[in-house]
């Protein structure tokens, strides 16, 4: 075999083994990424579970750590706010054009839209909305931190307020 042919064969072999090596490497990369994704997903699930356990302890009144209590209180406040927004969303979706409002007898025949079955606290009417500073500031009975209006939990110390 001439040197030329021998060299060309070696070159091709090297190229083939490099290609299959690269393919193997891609496979190993994908496998390792899959393992990593699985671990991170397990970690996320455990973190969720940790949060649920802490929330349960807090709502049962048996969570003594102040930092955890504060976080649980903030989550419950957010849940409460989210539920209000959900109810408001439902109301807006159910709104019908108030045509009779512009008729000759605007108030006598008007009936409000049906109330959703979910517990719902109506938002303050636009005219009666609390102005900033117009309401007396409430403070937490336990730590004295200022509270938001209608707060269920203190975001500073996690004390239950109602
Ligand atoms: Zn407090």
């Amino acid at each position: 075999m001439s040197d030329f042919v021998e060299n060309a064969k070696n070159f091709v072999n090297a190229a083939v083994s490099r290609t299959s090596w690269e393919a193997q490497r891609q496979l190993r990369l994908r496998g390792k990424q899959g393992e990593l994704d699985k671990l991170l997903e397990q970690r996320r699930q455990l973190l969720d579970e940790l949060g649920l356990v802490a929330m349960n302890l807090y709502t049962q009144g048996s969570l003594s750590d102040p930092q955890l209590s504060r976080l649980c209180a903030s989550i419950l406040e957010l849940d409460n706010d989210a539920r209000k927004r959900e109810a408001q969303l439902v109301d807006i979706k159910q709104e019908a054009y108030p045509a009779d409002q512009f008729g000759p007898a605007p108030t006598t025949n008007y009936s409000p839209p049906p109330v959703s079955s979910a517990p719902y606290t109506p938002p303050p009417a636009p005219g009666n909305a609390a102005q900033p500073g117009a309401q007396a500031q409430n403070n937490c009975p336990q730590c004295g931190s200022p509270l938001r209006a209608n707060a269920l939990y203190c975001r500073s110390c996690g004390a239950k307020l109602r």
Side-chain angles (χ1 to χ4, degrees):
M1 221 180 275
S2 73
D3 278 357
F4 173 77
V5 171
E6 190 65 28
N7 283 344
K9 227 167 111 183
N10 287 340
F11 181 78
V12 168
N13 284 342
V16 166
S17 56
R18 184 183 172 96
T19 303
S20 71
W21 176 83
E22 186 61 37
Q24 286 293 322
R25 198 175 70 98
Q26 290 299 329
L27 271 180
R28 284 189 295 140
L29 278 175
R30 236 172 305 164
K32 206 49 77 179
Q33 184 67 52
E35 289 171 21
L36 177 60
D37 288 348
K38 246 178 237 163
L39 288 175
L40 292 177
E41 172 62 16
Q42 282 173 11
R43 185 183 189 280
R44 198 189 56 75
Q45 283 174 2
L46 285 173
L47 211 55
D48 280 355
E49 205 179 316
L50 176 67
L52 282 178
V53 169
M55 292 293 289
N56 282 336
L57 285 176
Y58 177 70
T59 50
Q60 288 160 14
S62 35
L63 190 67
S64 53
D65 184 85
Q67 276 182 304
L68 284 179
S69 297
R70 194 172 49 77
L71 286 173
C72 290
S74 296
I75 289 171
L76 287 173
E77 284 289 314
L78 286 174
D79 283 350
N80 190 48
D81 285 352
R83 272 196 299 275
K84 274 187 202 156
R85 298 305 189 284
E86 278 167 4
Q88 288 166 356
L89 266 181
V90 167
D91 278 7
I92 292 171
K93 281 178 189 163
Q94 287 175 347
E95 268 175 19
Y97 180 69
D100 53 349
Q101 192 175 306
F102 305 105
T107 51
T108 45
N109 288 330
Y110 178 75
S111 54
V115 179
S116 67
S117 56
Y120 168 54
T121 321
N128 301 334
Q131 299 299 315
Q135 229 180 4
Q137 179 87 59
N138 286 325
N139 289 82
C140 172
Q142 188 163 305
C143 73
S145 296
L147 299 172
R148 302 182 323 146
N150 303 320
L152 300 177
Y153 300 89
C154 173
R155 284 188 175 183
S156 296
C157 71
K160 275 188 211 185
L161 304 169
R162 284 186 241 165

